[in-house]
Amino acid sequence: MKLANDYLEEANAAVPRISTEDGIKKHTDGQSVFVDVRDSADVAKTGTIAGAVLVARGMLEFKADDTHQLHNPALKKDADIVLVCGAGGQAALSGKTLVEMGFKNVSNVGGISAWKDAGGPMEQV
């Protein structure tokens, strides 16, 4: 039997966690696709990373599958994908899913509060 922490450990092993500072550098470079996997209500409360693609975790497999009608073209398997959520757990789990779907460059920048506190670019949606 697996527990939530088992899934998180597997996800954290599969997807590197980057510091907020490294995430901000990636954002400044403009070469990465930032994906916020929180639901729309949470995003509406806090805003999100400027320019982030919004893909609720429950829709990730559909949006990431380039053969599916709901595919988001920003999600390319060779793109540098940086995931964010509320605290880092959903981003880690989402990252593991993307890796299993064939995405090569996936990282987890953690939670939106840390991003905002570090002065990361934000926008209200």
Side-chain angles (χ1 to χ4, degrees):
M1 177 175 82
K2 286 175 112 174
L3 303 174
N5 280 339
D6 298 324
Y7 286 102
L8 278 175
E9 285 179 19
E10 288 176 7
N12 286 324
V15 180
R17 178 83 175 246
I18 63 171
S19 69
T20 307
E21 294 75 20
D22 286 344
I24 292 171
K25 286 177 191 169
K26 283 179 172 263
H27 192 274
T28 301
D29 291 345
Q31 301 300 310
S32 301
V33 177
F34 284 77
V35 180
D36 192 328
V37 297
R38 297 175 297 149
D39 66 38
S40 59
D42 287 336
V43 172
K45 288 178 194 171
T46 63
T48 191
I49 294 172
V53 176
L54 305 178
V55 179
R57 184 171 173 240
M59 293 297 294
L60 184 66
E61 291 84 351
F62 302 107
K63 298 289 188 174
D65 181 350
D66 60 6
T67 68
H68 197 277
Q69 65 185 13
L70 295 177
H71 177 249
N72 185 318
L75 301 177
K76 294 180 173 68
K77 288 192 171 47
D78 62 348
D80 183 48
I81 306 285
V82 181
L83 299 162
V84 68
C85 65
Q90 288 184 48
L93 294 168
S94 297
K96 183 173 184 287
T97 296
L98 290 177
V99 168
E100 290 171 349
M101 292 181 77
F103 286 75
K104 305 294 183 208
N105 305 303
V106 182
S107 58
N108 173 3
V109 76
I112 195 70
S113 295
W115 177 271
K116 190 173 183 178
D117 291 348
M122 296 285 294
E123 69 183 19
Q124 200 62 40
V125 185

